[in-house]
Amino acid sequence: MYEGITLSDHHNQNFKVTLEVILYAILLCAGFTLRIGGLGQTGLTDHEATYALQAFRLANYEPTIIGGEPGYISLTTGLFKLFETNNFNARIISVVFGSLLILIPALFRKYLGKTPALVLAAFFVFDPGMITLARTAASSIMAITCFFAGVGFLIMRRQILASVSWGLFLSAGSDIWIGALVFLIIFLSLKPEYDKETERVHINWLKMIIPGAVLFVLITTQFMTIPSGISGFGTSLVEYLKSWKQTRQVTLGLFATQMILMQLPMLVIGIVGMIKGIVQKDKIVLILATWWGLALIPVLLNPTRNLLQLGWVTLPLLTIVSITVTSFLAKVRFDNPWIGYGQIVFSFFMFSITFLYLLNVTNFPELDPILYRNKLLAVFLPLILLAAITGLFTWGWSSQSAKSGLLISLLGLGIMVFLSSGWKATNWTYPSSMSLWNNAHNITGYRILDNELKDLAKWTNGKDGALHIEVSGISLPSIDWTLRQFDQVGYSTQVNKNTTREVIITSTSLAFEPGASYRGQKIIWSQQPDVSVFTVWDWIKWLIYRDSPVQTQEIIMWVRNDLFKGVAP
């Protein structure tokens, strides 16, 4: 067990428990705030819109085929029936499960220790990947939260709650299969050792199966109103297997580079913790490291290169990091406090100067090769000076204090980078179109299209949704989601030259020669960082500013001229 740093003295057990509960409550509120702020301001990606549209049609009692995320579809359908159909309500289910994930470490306090569990909960609050999953209209975060909740409840011998959690997990859809496969492999490998344990969990199979099975059926069939909904479970497996047959969009090397840079601070600390745990034969770290490796393999090899699946990889990594950090801080002692604290202050000072020089090189690149070389040397000079001063502290005063101070400053730097990445993942101060975590083109033009069409409908027909719209030569669920409230929307592969539709939406590549007179407006519909052309400096700019070369997708909205007052058709 990793007790780490105590939360209070041992003379007041009630205060200790109360403080722990208060800290979890604070973390839960902070995590919920980061996840819900500005939730409806960005458009749904094509992946999000696919399942949100299914929920919208079911809420309006329209026939539709239920896809591979029946749990999300069912819960969101209920919300759409009760409240307005919008981007916020399409994502709020994920926010709830993403926030509940923050409490999951409390279920494993017995094995992790109180302080590492609290640190892990704090990491969940600010992790950019977990924030992105919780702000995405999909069931990825639902699967992760419910699965580990089930494991935690089983360990605590709350078998009914474990069953309910796993029932929700099974309904989550195509993102469950990595977690289920890894768990099965680890369980089978550890079963002989588990059978020897004296404190085994005696499973009541009725409690373990019936509550979860009932909940699974009720959710997938929407309380038996749509019996075919249970087929979504099979569809989820088919969708996951089909993902292995898709064309590779990104090379393995580029994807691995992208993943490493996006998880850099925690990845370094986690690997150090894994090596330490393997050397010390720590069972908990060995299990977590095995989970991390097994989950990473299908994420890397799957041709979709889906960063949203990294949730299954991130959770064990963050757990190892929490154990490593608390274990290190609990053992830190300065033989010479002046040297230790001086090393910390000097290290942060040198890191700050290096960062400022790096910003200068990034923002003001020199064309002159000599000036450029001098600027690059200036980036490394503070680090060289830091190494020299650390060596003097180590040789002349206290080796232990100098090394501990340097490690603390490096740890602090990594935590700062981690918190910065988490803040940027909220999209509060940085454009969502620069996000790489959601692995999709980020919709930037939906608000322009929606507002233009609603204004035009009011102007011509007196109400928001009264327009005849044709979508031609383009098939994007995100556009279908934007047009969901309009009365008459048709689809075609090519515009009929005799069409009289009031509005036609086409791609920029479609040949458009209608008989009636139309005027067109080009809209940048979506953007995504183009990692295939990233240089080293582009990666640095993206990490610091969320600024980089982008891929764009454009559409054209054509409007019949006679709809504009005073303009001849």
Side-chain angles (χ1 to χ4, degrees):
M1 181 186 296
Y2 302 89
E3 284 299 331
I5 305 167
T6 56
L7 295 173
S8 64
D9 60 67
H10 296 285
H11 302 288
N12 193 338
Q13 184 70 17
N14 290 332
F15 176 76
K16 185 175 182 180
V17 173
T18 301
L19 177 59
E20 186 181 12
V21 171
I22 291 173
L23 290 175
Y24 273 111
I26 292 172
L27 291 174
L28 179 64
C29 292
F32 184 77
T33 302
L34 289 175
R35 285 152 176 76
I36 202 170
L39 188 65
Q41 298 304 309
T42 57
L44 299 190
T45 64
D46 289 324
H47 177 76
E48 292 178 292
T50 297
Y51 298 106
L53 279 169
Q54 293 175 21
F56 169 74
R57 289 164 185 154
L58 290 172
N60 286 277
Y61 304 100
E62 299 175 12
T64 188
I65 298 175
I66 296 179
E69 298 192 8
Y72 167 81
I73 294 170
S74 176
L75 296 174
T76 307
T77 298
L79 281 178
F80 287 170
K81 287 181 178 179
L82 295 173
F83 306 104
E84 185 180 355
T85 303
N86 54 31
N87 296 343
F88 180 90
N89 287 330
R91 292 179 172 134
I92 191 62
I93 293 296
S94 295
V95 169
V96 172
F97 283 102
S99 300
L100 290 176
L101 179 66
I102 296 167
L103 301 179
I104 298 301
L107 301 177
F108 297 89
R109 292 158 64 248
K110 177 181 177 181
Y111 297 96
L112 297 178
K114 293 182 177 64
T115 304
L118 269 170
V119 172
L120 178 58
F123 287 158
F124 285 162
V125 171
F126 296 103
D127 181 72
M130 294 302 179
I131 290 175
T132 302
L133 286 176
R135 293 172 62 87
T136 300
S139 59
S140 302
I141 196 67
M142 175 182 174
I144 294 170
T145 300
C146 292
F147 176 80
F148 286 103
V151 175
F153 284 129
L154 182 62
I155 290 174
M156 296 178 68
R157 293 176 168 79
R158 303 292 184 87
Q159 296 185 27
I160 293 178
L161 291 177
S163 178
V164 168
S165 298
W166 281 336
L168 284 167
F169 163 73
L170 291 175
S171 72
S174 54
D175 287 324
I176 71 174
W177 298 107
I178 291 179
L181 180 61
V182 173
F183 175 74
L184 181 62
I185 293 173
I186 292 178
F187 175 77
L188 292 176
S189 63
L190 295 178
K191 190 175 185 302
E193 184 177 349
Y194 171 76
D195 291 337
K196 299 176 184 178
E197 293 287 339
T198 55
E199 296 184 5
R200 295 173 55 189
V201 177
H202 297 285
I203 297 177
N204 184 327
W205 291 106
L206 289 178
K207 289 183 178 180
M208 279 298 300
I209 294 176
I210 293 178
V214 170
L215 182 62
F216 170 77
V217 171
L218 289 177
I219 287 180
T220 55
T221 64
Q222 300 191 28
F223 290 89
M224 304 306 293
T225 58
I226 307 176
S228 61
I230 201 169
S231 65
F233 178 75
T235 304
S236 70
L237 178 59
V238 173
E239 288 184 359
Y240 180 70
L241 293 177
K242 282 184 176 179
S243 70
W244 286 88
K245 296 181 179 181
Q246 293 187 20
T247 304
R248 288 181 174 85
Q249 302 295 324
V250 180
T251 64
L252 178 59
L254 182 59
F255 180 71
T257 302
Q258 180 179 342
M259 185 195 70
I260 290 170
L261 290 174
M262 292 170 66
Q263 292 191 312
L264 190 58
M266 293 302 166
L267 188 60
V268 172
I269 300 172
I271 290 176
V272 171
M274 290 180 204
I275 295 172
K276 180 182 175 184
I278 292 171
V279 171
Q280 296 177 350
K281 297 182 179 180
D282 187 307
K283 289 184 179 179
I284 293 177
V285 174
L286 286 172
I287 293 173
L288 291 169
T290 303
W291 183 291
W292 177 81
L294 290 174
L296 182 61
I297 291 172
V299 174
L300 287 175
L301 297 183
N302 191 298
T304 58
R305 311 288 192 232
N306 189 355
L307 285 168
L308 293 178
Q309 295 177 348
L310 276 178
W312 292 108
V313 181
T314 301
L315 192 142
L317 178 68
L318 292 180
T319 307
I320 294 173
V321 172
S322 69
I323 293 172
T324 305
V325 169
T326 51
S327 177
F328 167 70
L329 293 178
K331 296 176 182 177
V332 168
R333 298 291 183 274
F334 292 141
D335 295 336
N336 188 328
W338 288 103
I339 295 300
Y341 294 124
Q343 177 73 60
I344 294 173
V345 173
F346 185 74
S347 297
F348 271 111
F349 184 62
M350 290 295 101
F351 288 144
S352 300
I353 294 177
T354 298
F355 180 69
L356 292 176
Y357 277 127
L358 183 62
L359 290 182
N360 182 266
V361 175
T362 304
N363 295 332
F364 306 103
E366 292 287 349
L367 297 178
D368 188 300
I370 296 177
L371 292 176
Y372 184 71
R373 180 200 62 191
N374 292 340
K375 279 192 172 185
L376 283 180
L377 288 174
V379 173
F380 294 100
L381 284 176
L383 299 179
I384 296 172
L385 179 60
L386 174 60
I389 296 299
T390 303
L392 289 175
F393 283 166
T394 301
W395 179 64
W397 283 277
S398 172
S399 172
Q400 188 272 341
S401 298
K403 290 178 181 178
S404 295
L406 179 61
L407 289 175
I408 289 174
S409 61
L410 287 171
L411 177 62
L413 179 65
I415 296 298
M416 290 172 61
V417 173
F418 174 72
L419 295 178
S420 174
S421 298
W423 174 258
K424 291 168 184 173
T426 63
N427 300 324
W428 289 4
T429 54
Y430 293 86
S432 62
S433 58
M434 289 293 105
S435 175
L436 285 174
W437 277 102
N438 57 11
N439 200 54
H441 278 267
N442 301 280
I443 308 304
T444 56
Y446 89 97
R447 195 174 295 278
I448 296 175
L449 179 63
D450 187 53
N451 290 339
E452 293 281 355
L453 292 176
K454 286 181 178 178
D455 290 344
L456 185 62
K458 284 183 179 180
W459 179 263
T460 58
N461 300 313
K463 64 177 184 177
D464 283 350
L467 273 180
H468 291 188
I469 303 172
E470 180 178 349
V471 181
S472 184
I474 186 169
S475 178
L476 294 175
S478 53
I479 291 181
D480 299 343
W481 171 258
T482 304
L483 302 178
R484 68 191 180 280
Q485 303 287 5
F486 289 89
D487 296 337
Q488 297 187 38
V489 180
Y491 297 87
S492 64
T493 57
Q494 182 66 44
V495 180
N496 188 325
K497 64 179 181 179
N498 297 319
T499 185
T500 57
R501 292 276 189 172
E502 294 169 315
V503 176
I504 301 173
I505 299 172
T506 70
S507 66
T508 54
S509 60
L510 185 71
F512 181 70
E513 298 177 356
S517 180
Y518 284 80
R519 63 174 61 181
Q521 176 184 351
K522 185 179 290 186
I523 298 172
I524 298 176
W525 182 246
S526 64
Q527 287 184 343
Q528 184 182 32
D530 188 2
V531 295
S532 63
V533 299
F534 272 25
T535 64
V536 173
W537 300 113
D538 289 326
W539 276 113
I540 293 174
K541 278 189 175 182
W542 183 86
L543 289 170
I544 298 174
Y545 301 115
R546 290 298 188 267
D547 182 23
S548 70
V550 296
Q551 294 176 336
T552 60
Q553 188 174 27
E554 296 179 330
I555 61 173
I556 301 178
M557 180 181 68
W558 302 91
V559 180
R560 234 175 42 212
N561 273 338
D562 63 333
L563 299 184
F564 296 98
K565 191 173 182 179
V567 178

